[in-house]
Structure formats: structure tokens, C-alpha cells
Amino acid sequence: MTAPPPPSLPHPSRRSLKRLDWFVFLVADVQTGFGPFVAVYLTSQKWTQIEIGLVLTVAGLVSLLGQIPGGALVDAVRSERVVAAVAVTLIAMSALVYATFPIFPAVLVAATLHAAASCVLGPAIAAISLGLVGHAAIGERFGRNARFASIGAALSAAVMGGFGYFFTPQAVFFVTAALLVPTLMVLRGVAAAEIDPERAHGNLPEERAVKPPIDLRSLLSKRALLVFGCCILLFHLANAAMLPLMGSVLTTRSGQWATVLIGACMVGPQIVVALFSPWVGRQAQRIGRKPLLIAGFAALPIRGLLFATVTDPYLLVAVQLLDGLTAAVMSVMVPLTIADLTRGSGRFNLTQGVVGTMMGLGASISPTFAGYMSDAFGSPIAFLGLASVAAIGLATVWLLMPETRPAANDLHTHPSDAGCRSSSSSSSPS
């Protein structure tokens, strides 16, 4: 008997890599149509704040509860492109419902569909990326994803804000729905034959592992994954409320300039992410994951401490740029660390759901924690409280989180992999 030939290593084409760049960019555009624009639009439709809050709460709960099932679904299918296409279509349909039927039952269903589709779309994009380039080049690929998502979010926020200002808030959702067509066309350009479904799920076909994927219970018993999940929960518990709380501070200190300054606080970090995230992906492969995780976590308590002590509104905007550095690190290192921890398990996307649930828990608790601290003791103490939580997260990463970068000989690198990386590096939407 002769052994079957080993499976080929990833050889993504330049076309597929560029189309993935565009797809990530357009998905960020589509998702930007929701968020703050929802509250503005529903308010213009004479909705009460309790009705708006109820819709947003239901969407948040669906998003939180759907993370693990969404990741499991992506692991179960054989075509991540189909999953991504269906998810984007559902989001566009939700935008149409918002625009054409702004009544409570319809909007509630639309918000639920949007939240459920988003639970699948994020893991699907990460799975397509991993299936295209493999573990050897995934760090830089995640960096490119973060870059184009950041550019898309920043540009679309400005464009949609202009549509809402010059036309009506309703126009934002028509634009969001219209983006479905170019998004699906770009996704079709990512060659299905180049996406290895085994690698997309975290398996290593070159090792010809015959054992089945591990179950959720075995996955959660991994100490490194539990430590990482706790670190992510602490990070988002400290981070989620910082910008809203700082927005309240800016409003009281700068009056009519508050909206402009808050806009700068949102756009500035996006520019930093776009500039630095590919570099983070390359450095993660060169020096390892842990040093970058430590740097990303360290910027958060520093930011909280500065928010607690700086009083000048314009300096507060400058301090907010630290959020861009943190986001550049975390947007790359979270999926990259998950890919490391799940190599050969077949549960890459399920684990993304588990960690996403931890993110959601931390982000959900953060505003309540910060709001209580601010009302009871003042905003400086609230910022110090958030900085203290961030410092605990930093200490946890430093002391308990192991280095997850595989050894160089475990990545199965060879000249073709280097070609994949150089192709990925040189490609950009044009």
C-alpha cells in the first residue's frame, strides 16, 4: 500500500486576497448603518426612549446568546462563503425593514435578525481568512482585516452621516441595504476552491489527523483558553464604558464643541488601527503573541488614569488615541490567539463564539459599573475604577497567560507560504 499524497499547502491567489480585503471593507460599511444611527432614526419616528431601549436590549441579548451557536454553525458547514453571504443578506434585509416599516414589531424582528446574523458573520470572515492563507500567514491576514474594517467603518460613518443630514435619517438604512449588491459581488470573487474547509475550522490537514473535533466541554477545560477568556472579559469590562463616560465629561466641559470632539474621538482611533494593525500581525509572528497582548492591555489602564486626571477637552481627545493602539493590537491578537489555541481541534469558530460571549459579558456590565461609580463618586473615580479593572486584566495576562505562538517548524512554512504572505502584503483595494 502506498500512502496518499499530502494535501497541498495554501496558495491563495492575489485576486482572492484583494476581494477579501474589499469584502471586509464593505461589511464594515454595512454594519456601520446600525449603532448610533438606529437611535437617531427611531427618535425621528417619534419612538419613546423605552421602546428604543427595549429594541437595543433585545438585540444585545441575542448577540450575547448567539455567539457560541454562531461559531458552532460556521464550524459545522463546509462553505463559509455561503454562510457569510446569507448573513450579509439578512443584515441588508433588516436595514430595509428599519427604513420601510418603522413599527415596533417589525423593528424588533429586524434587530433580532441583524444581531443573529452578526454572530455568524464575524466567525465566517475569520474562517475564510484562515482557510485561505493557513496558520503560517494568518497573523498578517488578520492585521489586513482589521485595517480594512477600520477604514470602512470610518468612511461609511462620515458618508452615512452626510446622507442622514442632507436627506433623512431613513436614507442611512437604504444606503446600507444597497451595499448588499457590491458586497455579494466581491465575496463571489473569493475563489471557493482556495478556501480549505479543514483549515477554516482550525484543523491541520497536512498532519492528517484522524481524531474527530473535540467537544465544547473538552475545549473549555483548556487552562490557557480559560485564562484568555477571563482576560478578555476584564478588558471589555474596563474598556466599553470609557468612551461613553468621556463623552459625558466632554459635553459638560466643552458645550457646543462636544459633538465635534466626540466625532474626533471616534475617527482618530480608527486611523491608528488602519495604520498599525498589519504591523501588529507581522510582529506577532516575529516576537510572539504575549508581548503584544501585554502592550495592548497596558495602554488601557494608562488611558483610564489619564482620563481621571486630565481636564482639558482637547487633551482628552489626544488621550483617546491610545484606544486606537489598543484596538490595533486586540483586533489582531484575539482571533490570532484563538487560532493558536485551537490548532488541530476543528473548533476555531466555536471558540471564537466562546470568547465573543466573554467580550459581550464584560461590555454589558461595564456601563452599569461605570455609571454607578460616576453617580456615587464622580467621573474621576469612575475612570480610576475602570483603570483598576484594566490593571487586573494586565496582571492576569502578564502572570498567567502563556505564549501561544507555535514553533516555526510547526507552521509548515515553505516558499509558497512566503509567497502567500508577500502577496497578501502587497494587495490592497484599488
Side-chain angles (χ1 to χ4, degrees):
M1 295 179 64
T2 59
S8 61
L9 290 171
H11 290 84
S13 64
R14 182 183 180 87
R15 173 185 170 87
S16 290
L17 293 171
K18 291 182 71 173
R19 293 301 182 273
L20 181 56
D21 287 339
W22 273 109
F23 180 66
V24 172
F25 173 86
L26 288 169
V27 165
D29 293 349
V30 171
Q31 294 281 42
T32 302
F34 298 87
F37 293 108
V38 170
V40 173
Y41 169 60
L42 295 180
T43 300
S44 72
Q45 297 296 313
K46 311 302 181 184
W47 280 46
T48 65
Q49 291 302 309
I50 187 63
E51 290 174 327
I52 297 173
L54 182 58
V55 166
L56 296 179
T57 297
V58 170
L61 289 174
V62 172
S63 180
L64 181 62
L65 297 175
Q67 293 288 331
I68 294 177
L73 174 63
V74 177
D75 274 334
V77 302
R78 301 296 293 180
S79 177
E80 289 73 21
R81 286 199 325 163
V82 171
V83 173
V86 171
V88 172
T89 302
L90 289 176
I91 292 173
M93 290 173 57
S94 300
L96 275 179
V97 172
Y98 272 94
T100 56
F101 299 103
I103 58 176
F104 185 82
V107 169
L108 186 63
V109 172
T112 302
L113 280 178
H114 170 245
S118 297
C119 292
V120 176
L121 185 55
I125 291 174
I128 291 171
S129 303
L130 185 57
L132 269 179
V133 305
H135 285 84
I138 194 58
E140 188 169 351
R141 181 65 252 178
F142 283 150
R144 290 185 66 82
N145 288 356
R147 163 176 283 179
F148 288 101
S150 179
I151 295 172
L155 289 180
S156 60
V159 171
M160 291 184 182
F163 270 90
Y165 178 79
F166 290 107
F167 299 99
T168 65
Q170 186 182 35
V172 170
F173 297 98
F174 283 120
V175 173
T176 298
L179 287 171
L180 173 66
V181 175
T183 303
L184 292 180
M185 291 177 63
V186 166
L187 178 61
R188 187 178 180 184
V190 181
E194 297 178 10
I195 304 172
D196 189 316
E198 294 299 321
R199 289 190 178 91
H201 301 160
N203 282 323
L204 299 173
E206 59 269 27
E207 292 185 357
R208 293 200 173 273
V210 297
K211 60 183 180 180
I214 63 175
D215 56 23
L216 180 60
R217 182 176 180 180
S218 300
L219 192 67
L220 294 178
S221 66
K222 288 190 172 185
R223 179 179 178 275
L225 179 59
L226 290 175
V227 171
F228 185 63
C230 290
C231 292
I232 294 301
L233 187 151
L234 290 169
F235 176 86
H236 285 274
L237 175 58
N239 182 65
M242 277 200 186
L243 181 56
L245 184 60
M246 196 265 286
S248 299
V249 173
L250 280 179
T251 301
T252 60
R253 293 179 183 174
S254 54
Q256 62 180 359
W257 285 97
T259 302
V260 175
L261 294 176
I262 292 171
C265 287
M266 297 176 67
V267 174
Q270 296 283 8
I271 296 173
V272 175
V273 173
L275 291 174
F276 285 98
S277 49
W279 178 85
V280 171
R282 292 191 294 270
Q283 292 303 309
Q285 191 57 38
R286 189 175 71 86
I287 66 175
R289 289 30 165 170
K290 188 170 181 176
L292 291 167
L293 278 173
I294 290 174
F297 271 80
L300 188 55
I302 294 173
R303 182 165 143 244
L305 182 62
L306 290 174
F307 279 157
T309 55
V310 172
T311 57
D312 184 87
Y314 300 97
L315 286 180
L316 288 175
V317 175
V319 171
Q320 178 62 12
L321 292 178
L322 285 173
D323 185 43
L325 295 175
T326 301
V329 171
M330 301 304 290
S331 60
V332 176
M333 296 310 302
V334 170
L336 182 56
T337 303
I338 294 171
D340 292 340
L341 294 173
T342 57
R343 289 179 78 246
S345 71
R347 297 299 189 188
F348 169 60
N349 302 293
L350 174 61
T351 309
Q352 287 192 86
V354 172
V355 175
T357 301
M358 304 298 280
M359 290 183 186
L361 287 173
S364 299
I365 299 170
S366 182
T368 302
F369 171 73
Y372 169 76
M373 294 285 288
S374 181
D375 288 343
F377 307 105
S379 58
I381 299 300
F383 282 123
L384 289 176
L386 294 173
S388 299
V389 174
I392 295 172
L394 172 61
T396 305
V397 170
W398 195 311
L399 299 175
L400 300 179
M401 187 66 198
E403 173 60 60
T404 62
R405 181 184 61 170
N409 59 342
D410 289 337
L411 286 173
H412 305 278
T413 55
H414 65 22
S416 68
D417 289 330
C420 293
R421 288 193 295 273
S422 63
S423 172
S424 174
S425 300
S426 62
S427 64
S428 61
S430 58

